[in-house]
Amino acid sequence: TDRDVRTVGEIAPVLVIPNVLDDAMVARLIACWESEGHDDGMIRAGADQGGERQISHDFKRRLDHVIDDGQLDLDLTDALYPRIGQEVAKVHHFEDWIFERFRIGCYEAENAGFFAPHRDNFNRDVQNRRFALTINLNCGEYEGGGLRFPEYGPEEFSPPTGGAIVFSCSMLHEVVPVTAGRRFTLLNFLVADVDRTVQA
């Protein structure tokens, strides 16, 4: 191999999977975000606030498009399920899962887009979330915006365009502010398929 060998002393326990989406799908997703509308990304409030979804620009600045195009949803599932599924099964022994709804997110330098440290399964309404999925759609076209896991060190993760990061929803993570350009990402969660698990 012509790749440089690196010695790694410590690293966050995340799964990085290259070449998950091809260039055509990446372009299709960004065009969808541009043409089909987008809104302020919401967060789930704490249990003491009933777990309601709300906007908090002090905690998160991201513009989201939730995909409701049935064909695009099907095409994404067909592309991702085999590729993501085989790696998650191999590394984490987790197979009984389904996707939530896909969303395309955009962090903009114009408002220093970011997402403060959080966990993705803290609330009872999202306890079935097991792993988070983030796919970079335009690496190299922005500055900042790295994904960081502060419990494990200061390193920032940013796979190449079309590459994915899969990590436990229990892990504290954040997106640092974008300082130039716009960072596009496809987001979803691997959710425990409770009905299938119970039947098994």
Side-chain angles (χ1 to χ4, degrees):
T1 177
D2 58 358
R3 295 179 61 183
D4 293 335
V5 175
R6 293 178 295 169
T7 299
V8 178
E10 56 181 320
I11 194 169
V14 303
L15 178 59
V16 180
I17 310 174
N19 304 316
V20 171
L21 293 179
D22 61 25
D23 291 344
M25 178 58 79
V26 165
R28 184 178 172 188
L29 292 170
I30 293 176
C32 178
W33 185 92
E34 296 277 14
S35 64
E36 299 298 326
H38 39 266
D39 300 294
D40 278 306
M42 305 184 81
I43 63 170
R44 288 186 181 273
D48 59 336
Q49 297 172 291
E52 295 180 355
R53 294 173 61 81
Q54 60 185 241
I55 294 171
S56 173
H57 290 152
D58 292 331
F59 195 81
K60 174 184 179 182
R61 294 185 205 132
R62 190 181 75 206
L63 295 173
D64 287 353
H65 171 76
V66 179
I67 293 176
D68 58 7
D69 179 328
Q71 186 60 56
L72 179 54
D73 182 87
L74 180 62
D75 291 345
L76 282 170
T77 300
D78 287 346
L80 293 175
Y81 201 92
R83 183 83 171 95
I84 299 295
Q86 67 176 352
E87 296 296 334
V88 172
K90 178 173 62 179
V91 175
H92 297 295
H93 301 280
F94 180 51
E95 299 181 49
D96 290 324
W97 57 270
I98 56 177
F99 282 126
E100 286 189 7
R101 295 182 70 186
F102 289 100
R103 67 185 62 238
I104 307 161
C106 179
Y107 298 92
E108 298 184 309
E110 182 177 335
N111 65 351
F114 78 106
F115 202 157
H118 64 285
R119 306 180 200 275
D120 288 324
N121 62 356
F122 74 98
N123 187 281
R124 62 179 177 270
D125 293 333
V126 290
Q127 285 298 297
N128 287 340
R129 288 177 175 174
R130 295 294 184 264
F131 294 92
L133 169 66
T134 297
I135 301 177
N136 271 4
L137 300 181
N138 67 327
C139 188
E141 298 181 13
Y142 56 87
E143 295 177 10
L147 179 61
R148 178 187 291 165
F149 301 87
E151 294 170 313
Y152 296 92
E155 294 79 16
E156 295 178 12
F157 291 77
S158 182
T161 296
I165 300 178
V166 181
F167 57 93
S168 168
C169 288
S170 297
M171 292 171 59
L172 189 71
H173 59 286
E174 64 181 317
V175 175
V176 302
V178 171
T179 57
R182 300 187 297 177
R183 178 197 174 202
F184 285 98
T185 182
L186 180 70
L187 304 162
N188 211 321
F189 297 97
L190 280 58
V191 179
D193 190 347
V194 176
D195 291 339
R196 188 164 57 179
T197 301
V198 170
Q199 290 171 7

